[in-house]
Amino acid sequence: DAKTTQPPSMDCAEGRAANLPCNHSTISGNEYVYWYRQIHSQGPQYIIHGLKNNETNEMASLIITEDRKSSTLILPHATLRDTAVYYCIVREGGNEKLTFGTGTRLTIIP
Amino acid sequence: DAGVIQSPRHEVTEMGQEVTLRCKPISGHNSLFWYRQTMMRGLELLIYFNNNVPIDDSGMPEDRFSAKMPNASFSTLKIQPSEPRDSAVYFCASTLAGGVDTQYFGPGTRLTVL
């Protein structure tokens, strides 16, 4: 699976959109981009995934660049409960394994 | 719907003792994963099963660790003998195999080996 690079930490004001970047320049054509988050002391929680089109669900939006070498997770109206470590993971379709990196620690500021 | 269930939630034991962690996956899921999380190494995959069969155990640190899945609704991770460096949070996750389905994680077991 391709390697991902994320900033170690970010802050965002409550109520604003949180934009979390991820670089995956070595991604191959059959690899998906997944986002998980881990709120303190809890198990990781799935947020969203995509292959090449932008995706949106009730939690977030995922914007993948046309060359697929980077992506951005957008939390449209961040709340204090969104404070967590966010993991960007590249995973080949049909491959069961998830490889977690160090993620981005997002802190929502009141 | 019950999520992934892990027990115990906390375990404190002394070095040399046997430790058994338990996991009940989500009903209908046929893949099960065991992860370990420490400050130093982050979240690591230890082993995973498809249809109760171990597929990849390359993350199991050494022979002191063993995992079983006797049926579709139960798995154990055993450490014998335990050592202080095994102290970590152990997560179990389950999913439907074969596609792009997401993994659902349990709440974890916090293990402390004194």
Side-chain angles (χ1 to χ4, degrees), chain B residues 13-19 79-84 86 113-114:
Chain B
T13 190
E14 293 190 346
M15 183 174 64
Q17 296 298 305
E18 177 179 296
V19 175
I79 309 172
Q80 166 63 17
S82 58
E83 297 182 3
D86 302 330
V113 183
L114 303 174

Side-chain angles (χ1 to χ4, degrees), chain B residues 90-109:
Chain B
Y90 290 81
F91 290 103
C92 176
S94 70
T95 190
L96 279 170
V100 295
D101 295 291
T102 65
Q103 292 184 19
Y104 295 86
F105 284 76
T109 295

